Amino acid sequence: MAGSELVQVARRARRHARADYSGFRVGAALETADGTIITGCNIENASYGLTMCAERVAMFKAISEGHEKFRRIVVVADTAEPTPPCGPCRQILWEFAGDIEVIMANLRRETARLQMKDLLPLPFDGRLLK
Ligand code: THU
């Protein structure tokens, strides 16, 4: 799927966001190695700390459906500046997807494109536990 199409899919996923407390709606579209697209949106809760980011929703959906290899993820928010994955999401994305491409976009255009290794330099991961 073309990058611009993947951005469109993430924009559509963003419409499902449950951002009742922050009002900050985020959509994600995760592309697996075989081209399957898994979407996510942020899901907030009255117990704020239970909030789950769009990127983690997409990744956990993908893992739970048996996907193991990933190509890239798109993150969409209504911000002029790029909205990058938060720290915990970077850790989760690194764990399960490694050095994938992360495309950031808003409702009109792409705002940034980075590799995970640049978003999470010097990562803590399973290699250190061996
Ligand atoms: N959020 C995401 O879903 N992804 C990001 O990359 C940044 C933050 C969500 C979490 C929370 O629901 C809202 O945005 C405000 O932090």
Side-chain angles (χ1 to χ4, degrees), residues 19 22 24 26 42-44 51-55 75 83-86 89:
S22 73
F24 192 79
V26 185
N42 54 329
I43 303 173
E44 299 184 349
T51 290
M52 189 64 67
C53 292
E55 298 92 319
V75 184
T83 293
C86 74
C89 284

Side-chain angles (χ1 to χ4, degrees), residues 30-38 62 67 69-72:
L30 176 64
E31 187 177 51
T32 70
D34 69 12
T36 304
I37 311 300
I38 315 277
H67 298 285
K69 291 201 163 68
F70 303 94
R71 268 190 210 144
R72 54 189 176 164

